Amino acid sequence: MTSKTCFIEQTCGLGDILLSCKIGNYFAQLGHEVIWPVEPIYRDLSKRIHTTGFNFVCIEDDFKFKAHYLKFVGMQLSEIADVPNFIHVPLRRSFQSKAGQKLNKVDTHDAANMHGKFEMCGINYNNWQNYFELIRDSEKENKLYKELNLENKRYHLVNKNFGTPPRWKETLNKKITTVFPEIRVDMYMDLRYSVFDWLKVFENACRIDTVSTSTFYLFEKLELDCIPTIYSRNNSDRTYTENFSWIERLAKKQYLFIS
């Protein structure tokens, strides 16, 4: 098989990206050069996670064959394009793909979107957790931990934020209460810290309540002191199966899911 340059079109959604690292590895294992552009907020992603066979590039920077990538993006493809010299994998439109639409008829919308990324590539999502490793920055993790004054404290971590800022940022509309004597810690977005700098805070929390977002994919790589509660993204009108059956199949750890 001829080696080609393979573009992965999934610039945002940290959870989508982490889940799909297995796909990047798959095309790299086939002998292709994998180029994966991401939003500026994830510019340093290759410094925060280790992947085998590929790295991430910032969409705003100059990178190899950028003009070809942008041409593919402009075509708004929903199927893999395999042409001379290039392969383009539009994971962000997996729901519109034939595989995604087939899944949508027998499964849920979110399964068609998230599981559909793998189906459109002809592979399964099994052991997706094994295709990236966290690169910990203990100095920044400890700095944040100290700033929050959490040493020797029983604290309740709450995250209501989801989306890829600054382009998209939403907030869970549910009320979440903290029970005394637990200390409440609300996650916040700060240019000084990325979500990866919260890993120590995650690990040592006595209780975690979070909206369904990238935190789930990070929890799967950590040894937590509690079983996290994960809330649907303001989709209380949907059934439990619609909200969570797709993510339950991805999970190896235990969670409490609430619509």
Side-chain angles (χ1 to χ4, degrees), residues 1 22-32 34 52-53 131:
M1 183 178 59
K22 181 176 181 178
I23 296 172
N25 176 269
Y26 168 73
F27 284 100
Q29 290 296 313
L30 290 177
H32 303 305
V34 175
T52 302
Y131 291 86

Side-chain angles (χ1 to χ4, degrees), residues 4-7 27 32 72 80-83 85-89:
K4 300 183 180 184
T5 296
C6 175
F7 300 118
F27 284 100
H32 303 305
F72 280 118
I80 295 175
D82 190 343
V83 300
N85 302 319
F86 297 100
I87 298 173
H88 189 79
V89 187

Side-chain angles (χ1 to χ4, degrees), residues 235-249:
N235 293 325
S236 58
D237 58 318
R238 303 197 310 187
T239 66
Y240 181 93
T241 296
E242 288 174 316
N243 278 326
F244 296 119
S245 64
W246 68 275
I247 199 170
E248 285 181 322
R249 282 172 271 169

Side-chain angles (χ1 to χ4, degrees), residues 65-132:
F65 299 127
K66 182 176 182 178
H68 291 81
Y69 170 78
L70 293 177
K71 184 177 179 180
F72 280 118
V73 171
M75 296 168 67
Q76 299 188 359
L77 302 171
S78 57
E79 303 291 347
I80 295 175
D82 190 343
V83 300
N85 302 319
F86 297 100
I87 298 173
H88 189 79
V89 187
L91 295 183
R92 64 185 292 263
R93 293 191 184 84
S94 55
F95 181 82
Q96 285 83 24
S97 69
K98 291 178 182 177
Q101 287 298 293
K102 184 178 179 180
L103 265 180
N104 194 43
K105 292 178 181 179
V106 298
D107 210 319
T108 67
H109 178 281
D110 290 339
N113 181 34
M114 301 301 279
H115 297 187
K117 298 179 190 301
F118 295 89
E119 293 286 340
M120 71 186 292
C121 298
I123 61 176
N124 62 59
Y125 56 77
N126 295 346
N127 298 316
W128 62 268
Q129 298 91 336
N130 297 341
Y131 291 86
F132 71 93

Side-chain angles (χ1 to χ4, degrees), residues 11 14 17-18 36-51 54-61 133-137 140 190-197:
T11 62
L14 180 58
I17 293 170
L18 296 177
W36 193 325
V38 292
E39 297 284 331
I41 192 171
Y42 305 131
R43 181 187 299 273
D44 294 331
L45 190 54
S46 288
K47 296 179 181 178
R48 306 315 303 261
I49 65 170
H50 172 73
T51 54
F54 69 94
N55 288 309
F56 301 96
V57 296
C58 178
I59 188 66
E60 292 189 352
D61 294 343
E133 295 298 330
L134 298 173
I135 301 173
R136 307 277 298 253
D137 185 337
K140 292 197 71 176
D190 187 318
L191 292 177
R192 297 174 302 158
Y193 302 109
S194 78
V195 66
F196 295 98
D197 298 320

